């Protein structure tokens, strides 16, 4: 069973036991436009919550992706190297960024659920 | 993620842009290209962590919002209707993109035709006896030999030979017509008035400027202005467009064939709608305008050209008339002539990053020993190239095509190669009226 949580900075975190898959939301990719490059962390990197984890580059600008939760990077989405557009076409599925082994699962409680995130986005428009 | 989408991350080593005489900051406009604007209008985005607003180019989003409210162009309602993502650009509310997106808009322009609103740019008329000779006192271009119906690219220089703005000067039967960058226009007009008091100067604030660019622009525009096909690259003439008196030039900022249409603001939306109704034409925003001009190797003022860069360093010596080189008589002529004779200390070059990571403005350039040898002044992704492209300034000895350098991106040294410009061949209609140079 998995559950997806969201940050106010438009990242999603999908949790399965002690592993979290992280990406950016559909709202975020719509705002960014065509993604042309994703600079991913290296496997083995320990990320503190809030640290810079990745950079997503659209045609015009670079945006940082911050670690929504703390943990060790155990896998990155190599498919993004050749096909960064997956972030646009499937942001919350094949366009995932990296997987973390959670070091403090309690941090998940601070994130939003889908309904709260939807309200959050609605408040931005 | 914090998508500071149209921003840039400030990097050390980028020289501050110009100050007006009173120390008031200017936001840079362009010859149409993209300026990372201060405000994501209507958006709710934050700058990246550690983002320090550049007081020269970035407007605070809140406290002085009222004082810096972006102005509408005559096409604002149309941009909204078309779903344009609006930003404050050089003080004007303009679309950075439409729903199609920058990539599609860019490709549309290269494949067919795209319509851009460039009404933010400054349009100025100069009249008076010997206005051409007078204007030559401020620019190094050969204007006295400029034929009626022709236009020429030149730049205002300062006493150090630095570039205050770049502009296009056109000669019409009874006047000179000048187009300057949006963010510089107030300063440019003050500069003209201060130095050319005997010339009658009229800013055309009640006119829009619409660019239709692309290999099929000529077909689309000709349906509404048959006389447009008689123009060749850098020619200009008064003619009706869809029945509206307009001033049409065959020029642009995309590297493609195309037109710029100056027309009364009140008629602009109706004409734009007619042009957009042509099957070849789709709207495009500032984002595509920037990626198009970058691939075409064209400079963006405030970025690739500044008061600290000379025309010789910028590789724009082709725009300095032969007589002007010999006679001087423009601000900074001594510096320019010395650099022409002895070579400049640094040169503007194209830069092709290896790999896929874009290298953006402000990135430091280093040699193989780690010594800083230059800086990137424009950079991004080139949709037609299909990869990252950039330009910047490097020490003159490293400006040769093929030279390997490194660009610092997020603490990593990414290999880049000095490349010839343009990245995408310019396709102007230089010879035949209807064809191109394709």
């Amino acid at each position: 069973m998995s559950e997806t949580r969201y940050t106010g900075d438009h990242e999603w975190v999908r949790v399965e036991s002690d592993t979290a898959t992280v990406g950016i939301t559909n709202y975020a990719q719509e705002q960014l436009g065509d993604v042309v490059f994703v600079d991913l962390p290296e496997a083995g990197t320990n990320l503190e919550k809030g640290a810079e984890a990745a950079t997503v580059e659209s045609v015009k600008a670079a945006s940082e992706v911050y670690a929504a939760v703390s943990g060790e990077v155990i896998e990155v989405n190599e498919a993004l190297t050749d096909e960064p557009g997956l972030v646009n076409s499937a942001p919350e599925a094949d366009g995932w960024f990296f997987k973390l082994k959670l070091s403090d699962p309690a941090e998940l409680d601070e994130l939003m659920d889908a309904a709260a995130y939807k309200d959050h986005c609605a408040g931005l428009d | 993620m914090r998508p500071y989408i149209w921003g840039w991350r400030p990097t050390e080593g980028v020289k501050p842009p110009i100050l007006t005489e009173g120390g008031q900051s200017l936001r840079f406009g362009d010859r149409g290209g993209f300026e990372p604007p201060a405000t994501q209008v209507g958006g709710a985005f934050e700058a990246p962590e550690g983002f320090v607003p550049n007081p020269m180019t970035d407007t605070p989003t809140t406290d002085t919002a009222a004082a810096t409210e972006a102005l509408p162009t005559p096409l604002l309602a149309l941009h909204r209707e078309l779903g344009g993502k609006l930003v404050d650009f050089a003080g004007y509310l303009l679309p950075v993109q439409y729903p199609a997106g920058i990539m599609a808009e860019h490709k549309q322009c290269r494949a067919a035709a795209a319509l851009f609103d460039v009404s933010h740019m400054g349009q100025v008329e100069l009249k008076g006896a010997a206005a051409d000779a007078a204007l030559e006192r401020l620019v190094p271009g050969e204007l006295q030999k400029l034929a009626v119906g022709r236009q020429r690219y030149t730049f205002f220089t300062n006493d150090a030979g630095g570039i205050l703005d770049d502009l296009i000067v056109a000669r019409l039967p009874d006047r000179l017509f000048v187009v300057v960058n949006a963010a510089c226009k107030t300063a440019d007009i003050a500069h003209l008035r201060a130095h050319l008091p005997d010339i009658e100067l009229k800013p055309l604030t009640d006119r829009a400027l619409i660019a239709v660019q692309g290999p099929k622009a000529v077909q689309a525009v000709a349906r509404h202005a048959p006389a447009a096909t008689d123009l060749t690259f850098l020619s200009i003439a008064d003619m009706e467009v869809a029945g509206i008196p307009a001033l049409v030039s065959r020029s642009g900022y995309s590297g493609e064939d195309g037109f710029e249409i100056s027309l009364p603001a009140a008629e602009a939306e109706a004409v734009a709608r007619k042009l957009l109704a042509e099957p070849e034409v789709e709207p495009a925003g500032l984002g595509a305008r920037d990626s198009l001009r970058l691939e075409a190797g064209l400079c963006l003022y405030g970025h690739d050209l500044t008061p600290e860069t000379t025309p010789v360093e910028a590789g724009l010596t082709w725009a300095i008339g032969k007589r002007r080189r010999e006679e001087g008589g423009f601000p900074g002529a001594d510096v320019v002539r010395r650099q022409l004779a002895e070579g400049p200390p640094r040169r503007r070059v194209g830069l092709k990053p290896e790999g896929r990571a874009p290298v953006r403005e402000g990135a430091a350039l280093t040699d193989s020993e780690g010594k800083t040898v230059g800086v990137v002044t424009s950079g991004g992704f080139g949709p037609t190239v299909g990869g990252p492209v950039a330009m910047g300034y490097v020490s003159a000895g490293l400006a040769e095509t093929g030279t390997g350098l490194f660009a610092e991106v997020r603490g990593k040294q990414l290999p880049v190669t000095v490349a010839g410009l343009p990245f995408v061949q310019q396709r102007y209609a230089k010879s035949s009226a209807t064809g191109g140079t394709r």
Side-chain angles (χ1 to χ4, degrees), chain B residues 210-272:
Chain B
I210 296 170
V212 184
Q213 301 281 297
K216 295 182 179 173
V218 62
Q219 285 103 300
V221 171
R223 280 182 216 121
H224 302 278
T229 58
D230 297 334
L231 299 173
T232 56
F233 182 57
L234 295 181
S235 290
I236 184 166
D238 287 302
M239 67 182 71
E240 287 193 350
V241 179
I244 303 302
L247 181 59
V248 179
S249 72
R250 199 154 191 172
S251 61
Y253 192 55
S254 64
E256 300 295 328
D257 184 20
F259 299 87
E260 289 190 349
I261 302 166
S262 168
L263 74 174
E267 319 285 356
E269 185 180 318
V271 173

Side-chain angles (χ1 to χ4, degrees), chain A residues 9-11 24 27-28 30-32 34 36-37 39 55-66 81-82 84 124, chain B residues 1-7 9 34 42 44-46 48-49 85 101-103 287 290 356-358 360 380-381 410 412:
Chain A
D9 291 335
H10 309 286
E11 290 120 356
I24 66 170
Y27 180 91
E30 281 180 356
Q31 297 300 322
L32 280 173
D34 303 301
V36 297
F37 181 75
D39 201 358
T55 304
V56 56
E57 301 251 12
S58 65
V59 179
K60 261 320 294 179
S63 299
E64 307 294 353
V65 176
Y66 299 91
T81 306
D82 290 327
L124 299 178
Chain B
M1 192 201 63
R2 307 220 177 125
Y4 186 74
I5 290 166
W6 305 115
R9 288 173 303 172
F34 177 78
F45 298 107
E46 299 169 60
E49 208 82 63
K85 187 182 285 183
I102 295 173
M103 198 93 83
D290 187 50
R356 298 176 70 110
R360 302 200 187 265
F381 184 85
R410 295 184 283 276
K412 292 175 215 164

Side-chain angles (χ1 to χ4, degrees), chain B residues 179 382 409:
Chain B
V179 179
V409 177

Side-chain angles (χ1 to χ4, degrees), chain B residues 300-394:
Chain B
L300 175 57
Y301 191 77
H303 301 254
D304 309 305
L305 306 177
T306 73
E308 284 79 36
T309 53
T310 71
V312 185
E313 292 169 337
L316 302 175
T317 54
W318 54 268
I320 306 176
K322 182 166 176 288
R323 174 178 60 82
R324 307 304 313 279
R325 294 181 194 209
E326 289 162 6
E327 294 178 2
F330 56 90
D334 52 336
V335 176
V336 170
R337 291 167 72 181
R338 188 171 68 243
Q339 289 192 350
L340 281 166
E342 298 171 7
R346 56 186 185 143
R347 289 187 188 275
R348 181 173 63 96
V349 295
L351 298 162
K352 184 77 190 81
E354 287 175 26
R356 298 176 70 110
V359 173
R360 302 200 187 265
E361 177 176 2
L365 295 165
T366 54
D367 63 13
S368 54
E369 287 161 10
K371 186 178 157 228
T372 300
V373 295
V375 65
V376 172
T377 52
S378 281
F381 184 85
T384 304
V385 169
V389 289
M391 63 169 95
Y393 284 81
V394 298

Side-chain angles (χ1 to χ4, degrees), chain B residues 415-434:
Chain B
V416 300
T417 305
V418 174
L421 291 172
F423 293 104
V424 173
Q425 200 54 50
Q426 297 162 344
R427 299 189 293 183
Y428 302 132
K430 284 188 176 171
S431 47
S432 83
T434 53

